[in-house]
Amino acid sequence: MDRRSPLGEFLMARRAQLGPDDVGLPRYGERRRVPGLRREELAMLAGVSAGYYTRLEQGQSLNASPEVLDAIAAAMRLTAAEREHLHVLSTTVSHRNRPAAPPAEHASADLRTLLAAMSDVPALVMGRRNDVLAWNGAGHALFAGHLDIASPDDPDTRPNMSRLVFLDAHTRALHRDWPAKARAVVGNLRILTARNPDDACLAALVGELAIHSPEFASLWAEHTVEPCGRDVYDLAHPVVGDLTVTQQTFHIPKEPHQSLVTITAEPGSASSAALTVLRQACGIGKGSG
């Protein structure tokens, strides 16, 4: 019986998404009984034995070398982010412990001061599970004006952006291309779970979303990997209407599991004017948080 590890599940999902035409292999006109490449075909492309590759997928081999992983990544046509994810899965699969709840997270006083000083820029501090640890007034007004602005202060009830995207009607309506946003959220969540395999709360979040959102469950099964960085989103805000914004994510050196997310619009654009109107409508100005 196969008892696949997260590494094996990722390999199987990626192999299923590759066809012979994608990698230059002939089809010979036969009807294929499996989706994507056969294990033997992938192993041949990677230069490893079919038996060894099969053991990797089935979770029976846990010590793949970096060179073998790079060869498999090249054969699968993985992106740089997917290649890194493959290596992370390989290093964590043999060191998994019983899931445990890590200590509660908090945004530092320095970060809160920074958010207040950035009153003209919607900004949030995100935690290891995409929990909102803090936001400034503009960030709250843009993303979650329907929630209590103080909600990030309570670890038991603070908003979680992954949960909001899939289970909150306001957030779903906010994103004009919701499927693209949903895919990006799942892709980032895949990276978080690989880097924190023993986080019981993160595992519970994935389980909750899979149960309550068929769309999440479908996307999760694809094993999409998409790190947060710079993204452009079209929003339909209930107060100021349509606008296009750029979201950038910055990792915080002294808090490796936290990140600062900022939202900007093209200077002089209608979207920039809409952000100004939103701040004014909510009574937000320079020097306020």
Side-chain angles (χ1 to χ4, degrees), residues 153-281:
D153 297 334
D154 185 349
D156 294 328
T157 60
R158 62 176 38 137
N160 177 276
M161 291 306 295
S162 299
R163 186 180 288 115
L164 289 177
V165 166
F166 282 95
L167 304 181
D168 180 70
H170 173 97
T171 305
R172 186 177 187 125
L174 177 66
H175 292 274
R176 294 178 62 192
D177 189 352
W178 182 86
K181 178 61 177 179
R183 183 173 294 276
V185 167
V186 172
N188 179 62
L189 201 53
R190 270 288 177 195
I191 294 174
L192 296 180
T193 57
R195 292 176 177 171
N196 303 281
D198 304 320
D199 188 329
C201 296
L202 186 55
L205 173 64
V206 172
E208 174 193 352
L209 294 177
I211 290 172
H212 295 290
S213 172
E215 292 153 315
F216 176 88
S218 178
L219 288 170
W220 188 253
E222 295 179 7
H223 287 257
T224 299
V225 176
E226 188 170 337
C228 286
R230 179 185 183 277
D231 294 290
V232 177
Y233 292 115
D234 292 325
L235 305 180
H237 196 275
V239 175
V240 296
D242 293 345
L243 66 162
T244 299
V245 298
T246 298
Q247 174 178 306
Q248 298 187 81
T249 301
F250 304 93
H251 296 291
I252 301 170
K254 292 187 178 181
E255 298 288 349
H257 296 294
Q258 296 183 16
S259 57
L260 174 68
V261 178
T262 64
I263 303 295
T264 56
E266 186 70 24
S269 66
S271 296
S272 179
L275 289 178
T276 299
V277 170
L278 179 62
R279 293 194 300 272
Q280 294 171 345

Side-chain angles (χ1 to χ4, degrees), residues 2-206:
D2 288 0
R3 293 187 177 181
R4 293 187 179 87
S5 63
L7 172 64
E9 292 176 351
F10 179 70
L11 291 173
M12 185 176 67
R14 276 291 176 265
R15 178 171 59 83
Q17 295 169 17
L18 277 177
D21 296 339
D22 298 320
V23 295
L25 290 179
R27 286 182 173 272
Y28 299 114
E30 85 276 20
R31 295 185 62 185
R32 303 176 69 85
R33 293 179 294 176
V34 296
L37 295 178
R38 300 185 179 95
R39 286 173 176 164
E40 295 80 2
E41 292 171 330
L42 198 286
M44 178 190 68
L45 291 170
V48 300
S49 72
Y52 178 73
Y53 177 79
T54 297
R55 291 193 296 274
L56 277 180
E57 274 202 7
Q58 294 178 344
Q60 299 171 8
S61 180
L62 306 178
N63 297 304
S65 69
E67 293 78 14
V68 166
L69 294 175
D70 283 338
I72 292 174
M76 287 185 165
R77 310 299 200 260
L78 299 186
T79 65
E82 291 167 342
R83 182 186 296 260
E84 180 182 356
H85 183 68
L86 180 65
H87 282 270
V88 170
L89 289 176
S90 179
T91 57
T92 59
V93 70
S94 59
H95 298 88
R96 295 176 68 88
N97 300 312
R98 182 184 297 274
E105 293 183 282
H106 301 279
S108 69
D110 289 343
L111 282 174
R112 292 178 179 275
T113 299
L114 176 61
L115 288 180
M118 299 170 60
S119 60
D120 281 0
V121 178
L124 309 84
V125 176
M126 307 289 290
R128 72 166 71 221
R129 293 180 292 271
N130 283 338
D131 289 334
V132 180
L133 305 184
W135 49 25
N136 60 13
H140 169 255
L142 181 63
F143 286 114
H146 62 304
L147 301 180
D148 185 347
I149 193 170
S151 57
D153 297 334
D154 185 349
D156 294 328
T157 60
R158 62 176 38 137
N160 177 276
M161 291 306 295
S162 299
R163 186 180 288 115
L164 289 177
V165 166
F166 282 95
L167 304 181
D168 180 70
H170 173 97
T171 305
R172 186 177 187 125
L174 177 66
H175 292 274
R176 294 178 62 192
D177 189 352
W178 182 86
K181 178 61 177 179
R183 183 173 294 276
V185 167
V186 172
N188 179 62
L189 201 53
R190 270 288 177 195
I191 294 174
L192 296 180
T193 57
R195 292 176 177 171
N196 303 281
D198 304 320
D199 188 329
C201 296
L202 186 55
L205 173 64
V206 172

